[in-house]
Amino acid sequence: MKAVIPPVKGTRDFYPPQMAVRTWLYQTVRRVSESFGYQEYEAPILEPLALYAAKSGEELVKKQSYVFTDRGGDEITLRPELTPSLARMVAQKQGELVFPLRWWSFGPFWRYEKMQRGRSREFFQWNIDMLGVNSPEADAELVAIAAEFLRTVGLTPAQARIFVNNRRLMEAEFERLGIPPEKRGEVATLVDRRSKMEAAEWEEYATEIGLSGAQLNGLKSLLANEALWQQSEELTRLFEVLRALDVADYVQFDPNIMRGLLYYTGTVFEAFDITGGVRRAILGGGRYDNLLADVGGDPLSGVGFAMGDVVIGIILSELGLIPPLRVQPASVLVTVFSSELLPETLRLAAELRRSGLFVATYPESAKLPKQFKYADRLGMQAVLVLGPDELATGQVTVKDLKRGQQVTVSRTEVYAVVMKILTEA
RNA sequence: GUGCCCAUAGUUCAAUUGGCGGAACGUCUGACUGUGGAUCAGAAGGAUGUGGGUUCGAGACCCACUGGGCACCCCA
């Protein structure tokens, strides 16, 4: 093969089979979002770099964003996340929108990172948020949506779990341990890394940060305390609602969940595959109370989460949870017997399309075996033949490819015969 | 950005201590001039990822690059 210009690193070509999976995921996300009353929206793919400067976190902005200068000299970013765009859109129309506002979106994002399993530089992400309410009940609704999604795609609580924590609770506990406010960011990172490091190495890291032995021990018992949530009124109310929504079996308290984004202020959560296939978060989110003010709006709090298509795609594919998807839209191929019969063939195809069937014609006259094979390879269910014999009697031959049976019927009956084949398939 | 592993036909893989690059599946043609899948026969398909080096001779050994995988980092 001659040299083909390769795709941009980290992007994926979606051939029809992969596109069918992406569309299926989109439709599943849509169904779950809409079942809770969320409205679909979309933001620009290009945004000013300044939009992310405020709160997205330095790593994300400075190292992972695609930034370029446009012809007018402005610094433009290919969006690495959606929440700042959402904040702007809401801030711009804050006076006329109806709150609490429930919105969802599914679109492309870009992050410049090292390629590895579960990560690509161009990915699709589901975002869903509720703005204008600051309550544990609102937090619970978003967690419940995440759980319903997992249930809808067929993941059981034994396969996937949502881990929940609360930053305010952790702040209070850090306070109790005498950890000064300026050190809490580092301690949060320390907590975040615990599952990724050897125990001894982790303790060494804790000492480096400046934790005393007593503080370290306090922190360790804190992180091992599965009942800690009971000290948080927010989490207590959250779990109560989750039980009422019948998703509690998907959700579990975990004081180790902190999350990297700076703008989270209260409840945070992440879903993981717990069968061990992929160790990355399937989805993650939480409560943010200051985001709108940061982009110039009036203070308004929100809660939401995001799910990338890559990790969930790997997990569902490995567990065999992606249903068989139809890649071929046409169910019928009308063969072209000869050049002379081409106009009549096209007329037949047009008639059937107007009656509602999805019909492809062979684009030229060719041997019938070739045309039958074409229909078979593309996954069509019926093949029609209009040859000299049929033309003479005003009939059409309809073959059911799956059963291998065929009938020759009058032209007015073709639609009904094809429909019978399709419904029986 | 750091470290380790990998790269041979469209795909999955062979090729002995360095000695003329093969197979299966897939594709195409025919057996079958009005019928797909199954079977049989035949054919096409490769500058062994790119560029250097060692050697009489490199798919194999050495270096760099590109692409991919895994771990770190970060995160969806």
Side-chain angles (χ1 to χ4, degrees):
Chain A
M1 191 167 68
K2 293 203 182 80
V4 173
I5 295 172
V8 172
K9 187 171 174 173
T11 62
R12 290 166 292 166
D13 290 325
F14 288 83
Y15 291 85
Q18 290 96 49
M19 192 61 205
V21 173
R22 192 174 111 193
T23 302
W24 168 77
L25 184 63
Y26 171 74
Q27 284 166 345
T28 306
V29 158
R30 161 184 288 267
R31 195 162 62 247
V32 172
S33 305
E34 294 187 340
S35 75
F36 280 81
Y38 285 66
Q39 298 172 288
E40 186 174 11
Y41 73 103
E42 178 61 296
I45 280 159
L46 301 178
E47 290 282 12
L49 176 62
L51 182 66
Y52 305 99
K55 279 287 177 178
S56 292
E58 206 166 292
E59 173 85 16
L60 187 58
V61 178
K62 292 197 174 153
K63 291 173 71 179
Q64 294 195 333
S65 290
Y66 280 87
V67 180
F68 65 94
T69 307
D70 73 9
R71 292 174 195 276
D74 294 324
E75 284 201 296
I76 307 294
T77 303
L78 279 174
R79 62 182 190 188
E81 60 161 336
L82 189 61
T83 308
S85 304
L86 168 65
R88 183 199 54 226
M89 285 173 67
V90 173
Q92 281 170 358
K93 292 189 181 278
Q94 206 159 351
E96 51 188 287
L97 293 171
V98 179
F99 295 95
L101 170 153
R102 291 177 162 113
W103 284 4
W104 72 277
S105 183
F106 184 87
F109 295 85
W110 292 265
R111 288 186 195 175
Y112 193 87
E113 28 183 351
K114 174 82 173 155
M115 293 297 302
Q116 57 183 295
R117 181 176 165 84
R119 284 290 174 268
S120 62
R121 289 180 174 178
E122 179 180 63
F123 56 97
F124 288 78
Q125 197 178 66
W126 175 30
N127 281 265
I128 183 161
D129 293 89
M130 170 154 42
L131 277 78
V133 177
N134 181 0
S135 73
E137 288 73 21
D139 297 350
E141 176 167 302
L142 271 295
V143 173
I145 291 168
E148 280 304 330
F149 171 82
L150 297 176
R151 190 200 304 278
T152 301
V153 294
L155 288 166
T156 65
Q159 292 170 317
R161 195 71 55 82
I162 302 167
F163 298 96
V164 178
N165 194 10
N166 187 291
R167 281 199 176 171
R168 270 188 283 271
L169 169 66
M170 295 306 279
E171 280 283 316
E173 292 299 316
F174 290 168
E175 173 79 38
R176 207 172 51 79
L177 288 173
I179 298 169
E182 65 272 13
K183 249 182 212 165
R184 287 178 197 162
E186 277 184 292
V187 175
T189 307
L190 176 73
V191 171
D192 196 45
R193 291 200 187 153
R194 189 170 184 213
S195 59
K196 297 165 187 165
M197 297 173 85
E198 295 294 323
E201 199 185 353
W202 186 76
E203 294 192 9
E204 196 178 319
Y205 181 32
T207 312
E208 270 174 44
I209 288 176
L211 291 188
S212 68
Q215 285 172 331
L216 177 56
N217 284 334
L219 187 60
K220 278 161 71 179
S221 64
L222 182 66
L223 296 179
N225 185 357
E226 291 177 7
L228 186 65
W229 62 276
Q230 292 167 0
Q231 295 173 29
S232 161
E233 196 212 332
E234 285 184 46
L235 288 178
T236 306
R237 282 163 63 187
L238 177 118
F239 279 108
E240 195 181 321
V241 172
L242 291 175
R243 277 191 296 276
L245 290 172
D246 193 27
V247 292
D249 46 351
Y250 278 96
V251 189
Q252 170 178 336
F253 171 71
D254 186 343
N256 296 284
I257 298 291
M258 291 301 284
R259 298 192 53 70
L261 293 177
L262 299 175
Y263 48 64
Y264 293 117
T265 51
T267 295
V268 288
F269 55 94
E270 282 184 328
F272 285 92
D273 165 22
I274 54 177
T275 62
V278 185
R279 287 186 55 194
R280 293 177 180 285
I282 296 170
L283 57 87
R287 168 154 297 282
Y288 45 90
D289 287 334
N290 309 317
L291 202 60
L292 245 66
D294 291 334
V295 296
D298 294 328
L300 185 71
S301 65
V303 55
F305 68 84
M307 179 186 79
D309 69 313
V310 182
V311 171
I312 190 71
I314 293 171
I315 292 168
L316 293 177
S317 149
E318 283 182 354
L319 293 174
L321 291 174
I322 296 173
L325 298 167
R326 193 162 168 74
V327 177
Q328 174 53 244
S331 44
V332 182
L333 178 76
V334 180
T335 58
V336 177
F337 191 87
S338 64
S339 317
E340 292 72 38
L341 285 169
L342 183 60
E344 198 50 35
T345 303
L346 296 179
R347 226 184 315 275
L348 171 64
E351 279 170 24
L352 294 172
R353 285 192 195 105
R354 287 203 184 154
S355 55
L357 291 174
F358 288 14
V359 180
T361 55
Y362 204 80
E364 62 185 356
S365 169
K367 289 179 180 173
L368 280 181
K370 194 171 179 182
Q371 300 189 51
F372 270 80
K373 190 166 187 174
Y374 180 77
D376 186 47
R377 296 277 313 271
L378 284 182
M380 299 186 197
Q381 289 132 293
V383 173
L384 271 48
V385 179
L386 177 52
D389 298 347
E390 287 87 355
L391 187 68
T393 56
Q395 290 180 303
V396 173
T397 296
V398 182
K399 179 157 185 177
D400 180 340
L401 283 187
K402 195 172 174 190
R403 290 184 180 70
Q405 297 164 348
Q406 68 178 47
V407 288
T408 300
V409 298
S410 73
R411 212 149 140 167
T412 52
E413 293 174 278
V414 172
Y415 174 77
V417 172
V418 170
M419 284 308 290
K420 190 157 179 283
I421 290 171
L422 297 187
T423 51
E424 282 173 359

